[in-house]
Amino acid sequence: MADRTTSSITIGAGRSPIMTVIADFASYPEWAGQVKSARVLSAGEDGRPATVRFALDAGVISDEYTLAYTWHGEDSVDWNIAEAGKMVSGLTGSYRLADEGSGTEVTYELAVDLKVPMIGMIKRKAEKVIIDTALKGLKKRVETS
């Protein structure tokens, strides 16, 4: 798997409301800019989504794929590719939540492997755009809910 791209943001809310927004995949197109659709295919024993089918349009990376999720209470969630797309051959990531003063620091890690060759710098830039857009969208969604 490729090097991970990582970024963090502090959100003025506790872990539980943040994880609630993260687990609400049907709403991703409203706040996670590049996600055009997200459909939960299965849920785990805890009721949270276990597999989710995504349609993504992030400019140079546009595809449909399925991710498998592992939830760790209110602390973190990890995902990896369950069904590759036409462009995306591998995708792993996580949201990690940590108390930060009266809010929560959310760290997003992402690594994408593509079936088509792409200059590393361009791929990392696309990953960074995906992460930064998602973190800003998550913050706005949580803080205005």
Side-chain angles (χ1 to χ4, degrees):
M1 184 57 65
D3 291 335
R4 288 177 173 253
T5 301
T6 304
S7 191
S8 298
I9 198 167
T10 300
I11 297 177
R15 293 181 193 193
S16 183
I18 295 169
M19 282 303 230
T20 297
V21 170
I22 291 170
D24 182 12
F25 290 101
S27 296
Y28 273 42
E30 298 171 19
W31 64 267
Q34 296 86 6
V35 176
K36 298 307 168 198
S37 69
R39 184 170 47 96
V40 175
L41 303 179
S42 68
E45 291 180 14
D46 61 359
R48 285 182 165 160
T51 55
V52 181
R53 181 81 176 161
F54 285 91
L56 178 80
D57 186 357
V60 294
I61 303 172
S62 180
D63 206 353
E64 290 189 23
Y65 51 84
T66 301
L67 298 180
Y69 286 82
T70 304
W71 300 87
H72 307 280
E74 305 297 318
D75 296 329
S76 66
V77 58
D78 305 312
W79 58 87
N80 58 53
I81 199 91
E83 183 182 325
K86 292 178 180 163
M87 278 188 74
V88 176
S89 60
L91 194 152
T92 61
S94 67
Y95 278 112
R96 293 190 322 270
L97 283 60
D99 296 334
E100 180 71 33
S102 61
T104 303
E105 182 182 52
V106 179
T107 301
Y108 185 167
E109 288 187 352
L110 183 67
V112 179
D113 281 333
L114 301 173
K115 293 179 181 178
V116 295
M118 184 178 288
I119 296 171
M121 180 179 72
I122 294 171
K123 186 167 73 89
R124 283 188 298 280
K125 183 172 174 60
E127 289 172 350
K128 181 120 178 78
V129 167
I130 291 167
I131 288 173
D132 289 347
T133 302
L135 284 173
K136 288 174 188 168
L138 177 63
K139 178 180 176 73
K140 183 177 181 182
R141 182 81 173 190
V142 170
E143 291 179 351
T144 58
S145 293

